[in-house]
Amino acid sequence: MSELSKEYNFKQVEEKWERSWDSSIYYFDWESKKPQYIIDTPPPYPTGNFHIGNALNWCYIDFAARYKRMRGYNVMFPQGWDCHGLPTEVKVEQLNHITKNQVPREEFRRLCEKLTEEAIDRFHKSMGRLGLSIDWSNEYATMKPEYYVKTQTSFVRMYQKGQIYREDHPVNWCPRCGTAIALAEVEYDSRTSTLNYMHFCAEDGEIEIATSRPELLPACVAVAVHPEDQRYQKYIGKTVNVPLFNYSVPVLADRAVDSSFGSGFVMICTFGDKQDVRWWMEHHLPLRQAIDRGGRMMPIAGPYSGLTVEETKEKITQDLTEQGIIFKQEPLEQNVGLCWRCKTPIEILSEQQWFVRIDAPEIKKMAEEIEWIPPHMRVRLENWADSMEWDWCISRQRIFATPIPAWYCRHCHEALVAEESWLPLDPNLTQPKKKCKCGSSEFIPEQDVLDTWMDSSISALAVAGWPDRTDLRMPTQLRPQGHDIIRTWAFYTILRTGALEGIRPWDAILINGMALGEDGHKMSKSLNNFIRPEEVFESNGADALRQWAAIGGSPGNDIPFQWKEITAASRFQQKLWSIFRFSLPLIAPADAAKGQVDHWLSAELDQLITKTTEAMDRFQFDEALKAIRAFAWDVLADNYIELVKARLYGQDGLEKRAAQDTLFTALETLARLMAPFTPFLSEEIYHTLTGLSVHVQSWPAARGQPMDRAGLAIKEVASTLRRYKAEKGVALNSPLPGIVVYSDLDLETADLAGVANSPVESRTGKPSLEMKPIAVKPQMKVIGPRFRDRSQRIIMALMGMDPADIARQKEAGSIAVDLDGEILELPPEAAEVEIQTLSAGEAVDILKTKEATVLVRR
Ligand SMILES: [Zn+2]
Ligand SMILES: [Zn+2]
């Protein structure tokens, strides 16, 4: 066997194994009889690079996948790519200096695909370097026809069941991106705007109305007041005139009006916000849409037609002020809805869009069947479900997405949705294979595309073999994901799996936190707290980064990246390597009766297995790794190896072989326990020991071995002796004159003699000891203050007395001293008596441990 380097060369070891591993050992076996463990891995957006947050999440998944595989499960750790979406389109527009409408749709799509493929390549590299045990036979990309045929099939089936419909309905709209967005994609931020007080002419007199959006005046369809607002009773049911645009609207009474806001009157427009939509629907108000898809004013806005919303706001405010209609302004703190992608304030427009019906109670019921880790995360989903007022708008006015497989009849305008057997298709490139109900065969293709969550919300179904396999593997076992996408990915997946198959998507959902910068803030290049995984691969290696992920905290919590954890991880790897390097020439599996110390180590190892297994089952990776580190560092290196060194270096014999075998087993077991966390180092150790890969081995099984009390007692005696030597300033390997250990456990002496480098005798029962007073120590601090100038004489007298006599007097309560005939009574604290312990007439020091009394000859 070749000599191992003193320093652990993480780079060489990790790169070697990355090159030589056969990834097919991680493939899911569809024919296997083992219990399945399918992980519904997040398909990341392949834009940019694999970042530290991805690394954290994928480490969690890999820990779980590797552990379950070792526990005998048929594991699927698939990898998908959620390709479609706005970020890629925006990037293609920037890189090629074009907008989506300047090139043919197909060409634009091709540019998006190319950019995505490049990003996927970068992700592959980082994931490989991180040592992830991904099942590449189950890779999918949502932009490929093999995948989007599934998305389209799900659309068609849900449409046929009435779970998808098309309707004119208010939707959240980003004027910059030119597309509808779902409620889950609206972000809220507080902004300061201006509250304008205006006069509206009523049938008798004037009313005051306060609004922050005067540009919506042409969209005003009513004004409302609280039914119990005593000031305005007379206006209810009458009409008022909208200034500048000069048309009348009704005055409504509605309990949702806040009388304390502004004047107590509120303007209802189509649409300023969601409350406007509620009122519009409840009171069956007409639609006056004033803003178009590009965020410009429509003809209904008269002179402002064609201006942007911002321009209109400025100009109309000026006009209203000049005409004296605005008579007061004050600043207003407001929560404004923004597009998640470009942060442009959203508008609410009424549009023909496709919607997925949301059945909130059904989703909540299904969420209850799923185990949430940590459990409180389920509340977030339930709160979100309860807040849903509109169905999910799934159509987008973009290009790089799954096409909606539908057309519209040119004559009767009826929508025709494709049949399943026609899929996959792009309606812009294919015509329907049948005629319209009206007999026409002229169609206009649907140009809208699907929300990307329509792709990713069937990820669980897709990896489980939907829709082709007759043995659909639903539910899958685990969904790992971030808490930031509970209201989107988790919510939509539960909705869609329920709608399509009437089943929960997973048995359990594991919510991971976000990786933060070292300063505790979100990692970002502008904050200068941004770390790339590659930096850590270079400086400390993948295993160290993986250990940080495991130890940084428990699932659900945000975890700051910390170089000190990376350093601690490297130090642990070096420690383990040093143990391994020391042991390797000395160890071998053997069949030899074990001593008490060997039994103790086996029991400690057995307890470690129990502890880590239990922690891994609960996904508490930090607990598992901490237990492993404590064992390796403290139990194995500091205690066991020190105790058995003499045997390992000694002459061949059963005792030596027992130690060789015990240490071999400990290292081999440690390598397996660490395989999920540090796959590279574990492989290096395990492969060197056995010639086999640790990644096809089973997880160590605990045998419920009871603690070996005798071995534990020996370990404690050894540490007590080590402390004793340190206190006495004696070198650890220098011999002591003799040690006698008394214990009812009948302790073995060989290892103690070795570790103390001294003769050791073991006896049962209690030692018979004699306590002999041998010297008097007068206490000046007691005597001085009381006897002043006589102190010196008192001390001399005490020193001259028999120590045994003084000990007896102290016991009785006072010490009598004869000062030339004068008898002084001293308090017992005036003198201490030094006692020597004797055993069979010899002076000894006594050390106590829980199970033993140790006599050390002086
Ligand atoms: Zn936008
Ligand atoms: Zn028709």
Side-chain angles (χ1 to χ4, degrees), residues 43 46 79-84 116-117 120 139-148 455:
Q79 189 54 60
W81 308 102
D82 189 12
C83 310
H84 291 135
T116 306
E117 263 152 19
I120 290 176
E139 185 179 9
Y140 63 88
T142 58
M143 66 181 182
K144 297 267 170 67
E146 308 89 87
Y147 190 91
Y148 76 68
D455 297 330

Side-chain angles (χ1 to χ4, degrees), residues 390-500:
W390 302 347
D391 282 338
W392 170 20
C393 173
I394 52 166
S395 38
R396 296 289 181 277
Q397 291 65 43
R398 300 294 306 188
I399 293 170
F400 188 44
T402 297
I404 295 177
W407 301 263
Y408 304 99
C409 173
R410 203 177 276 281
H411 292 271
C412 71
H413 310 294
E414 189 79 6
L416 176 69
V417 169
E419 288 177 14
E420 240 180 76
S421 61
W422 306 349
L423 305 174
L425 62 82
D426 180 345
N428 294 285
L429 306 175
T430 343
Q431 282 290 302
K433 296 193 168 81
K434 67 178 189 191
K435 287 185 175 173
C436 175
K437 275 188 267 178
C438 74
S440 163
S441 45
E442 281 186 80
F443 292 94
I444 303 164
E446 170 63 276
Q447 294 228 326
D448 286 1
V449 291
L450 289 172
D451 180 3
T452 57
W453 293 112
M454 280 293 281
D455 297 330
S456 58
S457 57
I458 55 162
S459 60
L461 283 167
V463 297
W466 190 89
D468 307 320
R469 286 192 77 92
T470 47
D471 59 338
L472 183 65
R473 304 301 176 90
M474 292 296 279
T476 64
Q477 279 56 58
L478 183 70
R479 153 64 68 88
Q481 68 159 69
H483 55 66
D484 55 331
I485 48 175
I486 289 176
R487 54 171 63 179
T488 46
W489 196 34
F491 183 84
Y492 293 145
T493 306
I494 296 172
L495 186 168
R496 299 254 283 147
T497 315
L500 287 161

Side-chain angles (χ1 to χ4, degrees), residues 199-268:
H199 290 298
F200 273 45
C201 288
E203 283 163 44
D204 47 351
E206 276 182 340
I207 62 162
E208 292 172 6
I209 286 194
T211 178
S212 63
R213 299 207 58 188
E215 71 277 17
L216 287 178
L217 219 46
C220 177
V221 290
V223 298
V225 69
H226 195 279
E228 277 148 33
D229 194 329
Q230 294 310 320
R231 298 170 292 176
Y232 304 132
Q233 291 295 319
K234 66 171 180 173
Y235 298 103
I236 296 171
K238 307 266 175 58
T239 62
V240 293
N241 194 52
V242 178
L244 282 188
F245 298 92
N246 201 26
Y247 62 95
S248 49
V249 294
V251 180
L252 308 173
D254 194 292
R255 297 198 165 270
V257 177
D258 176 4
S259 296
S260 65
F261 180 81
S263 62
F265 269 113
V266 61
M267 181 165 102
I268 302 177

Side-chain angles (χ1 to χ4, degrees), residues 86 174 176-177 339 341-344:
L86 217 41
C174 173
R176 198 220 67 89
C177 298
C339 166
R341 172 67 209 165
C342 70
K343 315 297 173 204
T344 302

